[in-house]
Amino acid sequence: MIELPQRSRFERGEDLVVMKFGGTSVEDSDAIRRLIEIVRSRLHAQPVVVVSALARITDQLQEAGNAAAGGQLGSALETVRALYVRHEQLAAELASNEPQVKLGRELQAEFGNLESLVHDVAMCRQLNPPAQDRLLGFGECLSSKLVNAALREAGVEAAHIDARSCIVTDPRHGQAAPVWKVTNERLQQIVGPLLRMGQVPVMGGFIAATPEGVPTTLGRGGSDFSAAIVGAALQASRVEIWTDVDGIMTTDPKLCPDAKVIRKMSFEEAAELAHFGAKVLHPSTLAPAMRENIPVYVLNSWNPAGPGTEIVAQADTGSMVSAITAKREVAAVEIESPHGVSSELLRAIYAVFDRHSCPVDIMATSIGRVSLLVGSTAALPRIAADLEGVVNVRWENHKSLVCLVGEDIRRQPELASRIFAAVSDMDVRVPCQGASDRSISFLVEESRVEESVQRLHRLFFSRQEPAADWGGNSSAYCQAG
Ligand code: ASP
Ligand code: MG
């Protein structure tokens, strides 16, 4: 009788878990040792590991790039030097013997490339978007190599993958979007065989490349999105986002110490929260998970036994309001058109915002006027100049968008009156309602945002509130890396 070769777990379609570790969960050797134990606890479920850069590295790379572009090459190289020392020290702590030598050589080569990029930037006196993507991507190239070596040193059969060879995007530097078909094929072709051999693939989040191989990034905080992209391509049974808080919370615990962890929420609610300023998840993360119906868990790498937050297709928290977020420092833009607002005009306005990479949050139109919210005023002068002669663009700074999210929030008419009664003494503006059933939002002066979030949190989540009102299982919002 011919003995058939045994099929691997991957081929048998068994559990597969994508585990993404944020910056603070890989920040030093203690964090990486915790990561190793967490990965070990999932070895039965075919883990694929996605890591962010070590905490603060992406910001420091950006600083080095800005310094070089501003003519301060010395200070830029000093920053690079400090990054090198930090990674080198970690390598020495986490690997030994031959693998340490090999890792040391790899780090040296990466830092050689980083230094020459910084020299180039200093020479052209500008950090253009493609150069910026190359620069910021070093963080994840380095961290993924470190974590891979640390896992191997600990006896886990890890295999490093260059994310830029499998996540393929359009060329929108700084905010690239995946080209799904090619990305899915590459991930299956590159990660699949490793899983078949029982290995643990390790890759950097955030980084990708165009079909021609030009490095891109998925936007700040984009490693969460990378994990969801990998999960969707491999039909994972779950995606785990390992961070430094216990889960998604009812609001930012820094504002309200009694904020609670939300045990379970729907994809839509979590997407809405991410869109409206909760930093725990990159806003694009949930779309691929939703499409493939893959549950996403937000977990604390300091407290791996904790239940975290489970995000699934349907979740009835039983509460009217699940969470409250605040998006800080937004600008309210008013565009006046003397000739009315036509669809061509809207298209033209959108095209100009898009060309200046200025994402628009909320939009409302009325006769002769378009109102928008944007997260940064940086591009507005250039946008106003481009639209000059067509429309008149004005904006107000120092606003915050407070947003309440809940599965049925808009179907309970009395809720809106309770919300606005709680802030009736503040100068509140309601930019636009109606686009979503799951949120109610309004603008306040930046100086009043904390107070308004605290009042609303007290209103909907204080212990005095009858349990049925907040469901007893609502929870957090989070910052975290
Ligand atoms: N390292 C990148 C950032 O800081 C990506 C990420 O951490 O998700 O934005
Ligand atoms: Mg993050």
Side-chain angles (χ1 to χ4, degrees), residues 20 22-23 52-54 58-59 136 139-140 205-206 219-224 481:
K20 178 260 170 175
S52 286
L54 315 187
T58 316
D59 288 337
L136 298 192
E140 273 71 10
F206 179 55
R220 291 303 306 271
S223 298
D224 300 332

Side-chain angles (χ1 to χ4, degrees), residues 20 221 224 279-282 480-481:
K20 178 260 170 175
D224 300 332
K279 294 198 192 70
V280 71
L281 281 179
H282 182 277

Side-chain angles (χ1 to χ4, degrees), residues 18 27 47 243 329 388:
V18 179
E27 67 183 349
T243 178
E329 286 296 340
E388 208 183 312

